[in-house]
Amino acid sequence: MNIKRAKQEIKNTIQVYLTKNAHGEYEIPSMRQRPVLLIGPPGIGKTQIMEQVARECGIGLVSYTITHHTRQSAIGLPFISEKTYSGKNVHVTEYTMSEIISSVYDKMEKTGLKEGILFIDEINCVSETLAPMMLQFLQGKTFGNQKVPEGWIIVTAGNPPEYNKSVREFDIVTLDRVRKLTIEPDCDIWLKYAGQQKVHQAIISYLSVKKNNFYAVENTVDGKFFVTARGWEDLSRLLQSYEKLGIGISEELVEEFLQKKETARDFAGFYQLYTKYGEDYEIPSILSGNLSRENLALKEKMAADGAFEERFAVINLILGALREKAEEYGQADHQLYEMLLHLRTQVRKNAEEEKLGISLLEEFVQEQENSLQIKVKMELISVREQKYQETAIRRLREYILTAKKEHVRSAENGFKRISKCFEKEAVCREDMIQKLQGELQNAFSFIKESFGENQEMLLFVTGITADKLMTSFIAGNGCPAYFEHSEMLLYNKEENELRKACLEVVNERLQEESSGQV
């Protein structure tokens, strides 16, 4: 299965394992909750989806790479205790609490979350001294004599033996106690994720054309060569930082992340072309409509005459520019609008109780800030969402300060003043809306004039549809060109389903002929 399907399977598992009955007990007792074992090649995103799952499910996460542990740190240190059996005092060996189990309790104390995921990575690469403990851990959910707290679900991960010489094959006894999910690299799934995570458009463009270069792990007589999803994402961050600082990108730099020379050389060359295309096509001018009709016609012809890779690069350059504008538009307005709706309810409620001081507004903002800090502490919010909410809170504080400077005394009048501040900024947002709508229209026009209603248009519409900020903007403000061309997605889906059905009929026919039934 691909990483997206694995993520959903884990979320389903958490939902089932954490469901309680009328008596407050887990429907599936802890001892019957099989640990999940993810087996897949390195760098595919196993650790990353655990962070996403924990945040989306609102539960805690403790991650450990078991290969970094000794027997003592995993199961605890031995000590001698004295016990009495049948009237006799005897000395017995006991163990201190495992560092891993201790970390689970620390997380519970720190976040207040009583349920979560204990994620153990590289579980099939443990040392000889720890190997006997793994069956005990998977079966009894204990390290040494310390049990994993109830409500904490065990998820483990490992690499297939062909990727790691240290891998120990699990026997049937062990495998019969886990839920094994085998994960394979899937470029199409990763590209959807990459668009949401703002991976560099050059990488998205390159892999849209050369999907076979997305993932590779090779052990040869000349050494180890590999390209992973993790490598592409880390390279993206570096590219974006280097571009901001004006630092050039070399093939040697790319090879530090894509450790397969052929792929690194190929992408480095594509990146240079991609950068050149951005300069030649003047994408910002195309979108803003600042090019003369003659110059625009030259760009359209250049795109139409371009090779396959160039056409794809142009589409992704346009998508990248539009995504930046959409993010600028949606940065904090949604959060602030939601806060204002909630604040209006609070003001009306307290007006009935005659609590009308402007301090009510300040108390509301402080509550929002406290709530945000709790979410951050409990790791229930992404860094991006945190920044958006912080911006919304800061703007709301500025509105309240404006009201206080004008000697507004009551919460009701204070809210009216805040609303006027928000409405005043709405004029700027309206300009931004019109500008982005115009740029979308210009983008569709350029692509249609350059390529017609072909695969380039389908790629563009698919890219917009996969971007949450873009679709949110279009849903709220409209875009006739998008709705006109989005029908291509439906037609393409129907065509693929028809082809699949035809292929199944042909295969059935061939099987019948080979078996002598016809």
Side-chain angles (χ1 to χ4, degrees), residues 336 340 395-396 398-403 406 414-429:
L336 182 55
L340 290 178
R395 287 168 62 187
L396 189 51
E398 290 172 357
Y399 295 167
I400 294 172
L401 182 59
T402 299
E406 295 174 2
F415 181 78
K416 289 177 181 177
R417 187 65 187 91
I418 289 171
S419 298
K420 285 183 180 179
C421 291
F422 188 70
E423 289 166 8
K424 185 177 180 181
E425 290 188 7
V427 176
C428 297
R429 286 194 300 278

Side-chain angles (χ1 to χ4, degrees), residues 54-189:
R55 187 167 58 245
E56 291 168 18
C57 293
I59 59 178
L61 172 67
V62 172
S63 296
Y64 269 96
T65 301
I66 200 66
T67 50
H68 297 170
H69 281 271
T70 63
R71 185 176 187 274
Q72 287 75 21
S73 64
I75 68 170
L77 291 169
F79 66 92
I80 306 299
S81 69
E82 189 173 297
K83 291 190 177 182
T84 302
Y85 296 125
S86 302
K88 273 189 171 184
N89 291 335
V90 294
H91 292 90
V92 297
T93 301
E94 292 193 29
Y95 288 88
T96 59
M97 181 176 284
S98 156
E99 179 186 324
I100 296 173
I101 301 296
S102 174
S103 294
V104 174
Y105 282 106
D106 285 344
K107 177 69 73 170
M108 294 166 70
E109 289 292 323
K110 176 186 172 184
T111 65
L113 297 169
K114 302 304 180 186
E115 297 175 327
I117 300 169
L118 174 56
F119 178 59
I120 307 294
D121 200 6
E122 298 186 12
I123 193 169
N124 55 351
C125 296
V126 294
S127 63
E128 287 186 16
T129 56
L130 265 179
M133 304 300 158
M134 286 303 99
L135 180 59
Q136 177 194 10
F137 170 63
L138 294 173
Q139 181 178 3
K141 298 181 175 56
T142 59
F143 274 114
N145 59 355
Q146 304 294 329
K147 191 175 178 60
V148 176
E150 269 206 341
W152 281 76
I153 295 160
I154 297 171
V155 181
T156 63
N159 299 324
E162 59 265 30
Y163 296 109
N164 194 326
K165 290 181 180 178
S166 303
V167 164
R168 296 171 177 273
E169 291 279 5
F170 283 139
D171 54 31
I172 293 176
V173 175
T174 304
L175 290 174
D176 194 34
R177 287 169 168 80
V178 300
R179 295 181 56 188
K180 181 182 175 184
L181 306 181
T182 303
I183 307 171
E184 299 292 340
D186 189 318
C187 186
D188 288 326
I189 293 296

